[in-house]
Amino acid sequence: MTTPLPRPRPGDRRPTVHCPDRRCVLSAAGGGALEAAVLPVAPLPGANPWGRRGVGREEMTALHRAVAAVRYADSRHGGGNAQAQAAAHLLDQWVRPLLGRPLTEDRQRELCGVGAELARLAGWAALDTGQHSTARHHFDRALYWARAANDPDLIAYILTTAALQATLYGRPSDALALTNGALSAAGHAHARVMGFTKLIEARAHARAGDRRAASAALAAAERLLDKPCPHGTPGWLDFFTRPRLAADAAEIHRDLGDIRACLAWNEQASGMAPNAFTRSVGMRLTVVATAHLKSGDLEQSLALGHRALDILRYVDSGRARDYVRRLAKGLVPHRGLHAVDAFLARLRQEFAPAAHPAPVP
C-alpha cells in the first residue's frame, strides 16, 4: 500500500504564493513564445477560450524548458530566488489553462507530468524558504498531478521529496513511512528513482540514530544507482549522480557520529560543480566543517566554514542558513579565539536577515 499525502479537497484554502514579475517568468520559460501560446487575447464572453486547437510539441518543449530553468535556478540561487518562485505561477497560469484544449491521452499525461513537477518545485522552494505548510500543500498538489499522469516514477519521487522534508525537520518516523510508500508506489520503477528513495531512507535512519538500517539503505542506494539504465534517467532526477550520493552519505555519517567515514565520502563528492549545485555544495561544506569540529580540528572547520560562506553568500535559502547556523552553534564554546570571532562576525554581517541575494543574471 502506498502511504499517500492527503489529496486537496475542493474549497481548501490555498496559501499565499509569491507571484514573480513578468521578466523572471519569461526568463524561466525561455522567452515570450510560451506566453503567446497559452495567454492569448481574452475571448468574447461565452466563447471557448482555446477553440479546437490542441497543444503542440512546440508548447510542450517550451514548458519542459521552463521546468528545467526553474530547477536550475533553485539549485544555483535557492528557493527564495524569483525564478525558483515561478513554479506555482507557471502551473496555475500556463499549464492548467492548456487542459481546456483538445488533448490526446498521451499529451494529457505529459501535461499532467509537467504539472506534477512544477507543483513539486513550488513545494521545494517553499520548503527551502521555511514555509513548511505551504510546501506540504504543493506536495499534495504534485501527488495529485502525478497520479493523473499515471507516472509511478514521479509519484515515488514526490513521496520521497516529502520524506526528505520530514527528515530535515525532525520527523524521521514520518519520513520512513513516506519512503516505504514511495517504494510501494514505484513497483518496477526506474532503478535510480528507487535508489534516490533508498538514499533518503538512509538519511532518515541516520537522523533516528539507527546505524545498521542507515548503512543497509545506503548500500542499496549505491547498488541501484550503479544499475545500467538502458532507457536513460528521468530529466528531473539528473542530479542524482555518484557525487550527489557521496554528499548525502557524508551527512549520513556525520549524523551517525562516524567522522572518518564522513570525511572519506566527502572526498567522493568533490565532483559536484558549485556553479550548478551551489546550494548543495555550500551545505556539504558546512556538514564537513561540523565533522572536523567534532574531531577537534578547529582550523580545518573554520577553513571549510569560510568556503561555505563564500559559496552561499548569494544563495537565498533558509535551509542553507540553517546548516550554517548549526556550524556557528558548534563554534560558540570557542568564542574568544580570534579566528572564531572573525568567522562569527563575518556570518552576522553577510547572513543578516536584511542581506539581499544577488540579482538573477
Side-chain angles (χ1 to χ4, degrees):
M1 289 284 290
T2 302
T3 304
L5 296 170
R7 290 177 62 171
R9 300 182 182 88
D12 279 356
R13 186 180 67 85
R14 289 186 188 172
T16 301
V17 177
H18 168 71
C19 182
D21 64 36
R22 183 177 181 276
R23 179 181 64 85
C24 292
V25 171
L26 290 182
S27 176
L34 182 61
E35 182 187 57
V38 302
L39 295 177
V41 176
L44 294 173
N48 181 340
W50 305 117
R52 298 301 300 167
R53 185 162 64 91
V55 179
R57 173 47 49 193
E58 180 182 351
E59 292 157 289
M60 293 306 304
T61 298
L63 277 171
H64 286 298
R65 189 167 62 242
V67 171
V70 171
R71 191 185 305 120
Y72 177 77
D74 170 79
S75 180
R76 187 176 183 187
H77 302 294
N81 171 267
Q83 276 187 294
Q85 290 280 322
H89 181 83
L90 288 166
L91 173 59
D92 290 330
Q93 300 301 317
W94 292 6
V95 173
R96 290 179 64 188
L98 292 177
L99 290 171
R101 296 197 198 178
L103 298 168
T104 65
E105 185 176 341
D106 286 347
R107 186 54 50 81
Q108 180 170 311
R109 282 200 298 267
E110 183 182 7
L111 195 56
C112 287
V114 170
E117 177 58 357
L118 284 170
R120 192 203 68 82
L121 285 166
W124 190 247
L127 183 158
D128 200 46
T129 52
Q131 303 173 65
H132 299 295
S133 61
T134 300
R136 185 59 182 252
H137 169 85
H138 285 305
F139 293 151
D140 292 347
R141 296 182 76 197
L143 189 59
Y144 180 87
W145 282 89
R147 285 174 171 156
N150 193 27
D151 188 336
D153 285 345
L154 202 46
I155 291 169
Y157 181 47
I158 291 161
L159 287 167
T160 301
T161 304
L164 181 54
Q165 179 188 24
T167 299
L168 291 171
Y169 294 97
R171 303 193 313 277
S173 60
D174 290 347
L176 292 171
L178 286 162
T179 56
N180 287 337
L183 292 169
S184 298
H188 298 289
H190 198 289
R192 288 199 174 180
V193 176
M194 293 189 288
F196 184 66
T197 300
K198 294 300 289 185
L199 179 63
I200 303 309
E201 179 188 330
R203 291 188 62 164
H205 283 306
R207 289 292 174 103
D210 190 336
R211 182 183 302 273
R212 179 176 295 181
S215 297
L218 179 58
E222 282 192 88
R223 289 193 298 272
L224 289 162
L225 176 61
D226 291 338
K227 285 188 71 170
C229 301
H231 302 296
T233 301
W236 35 260
L237 199 62
D238 58 6
F239 67 88
F240 184 41
T241 60
R242 170 63 61 169
R244 168 58 195 263
L245 182 142
D248 281 38
E251 185 166 354
I252 286 166
H253 285 93
R254 190 280 309 269
D255 290 345
L256 291 170
D258 189 341
I259 304 305
R260 180 177 296 180
C262 170
L263 300 182
W265 277 105
N266 177 58
E267 292 298 320
Q268 299 182 46
S270 59
M272 291 186 73
N275 61 334
F277 302 103
T278 312
R279 178 183 53 210
S280 292
V281 172
M283 289 166 56
R284 173 175 56 83
L285 290 175
T286 68
V287 167
V288 181
T290 59
H292 279 293
L293 189 59
K294 287 183 177 181
S295 71
D297 191 344
L298 180 60
E299 182 179 357
Q300 185 64 11
S301 177
L302 288 171
L304 289 172
H306 279 292
R307 283 181 58 197
L309 295 189
D310 290 340
I311 291 171
L312 294 173
R313 183 176 181 183
Y314 295 120
V315 174
D316 191 354
S317 167
R319 192 160 51 98
R321 287 191 290 272
D322 286 344
Y323 274 62
V324 173
R325 280 193 287 267
R326 179 170 179 173
L327 172 59
K329 184 177 180 180
L331 289 169
V332 167
H334 303 279
R335 289 173 71 174
L337 296 175
H338 175 73
V340 172
D341 290 345
F343 176 82
L344 295 175
R346 181 187 176 192
L347 176 60
R348 285 192 297 271
Q349 180 179 357
E350 296 182 8
F351 281 71
H356 295 288
V360 178

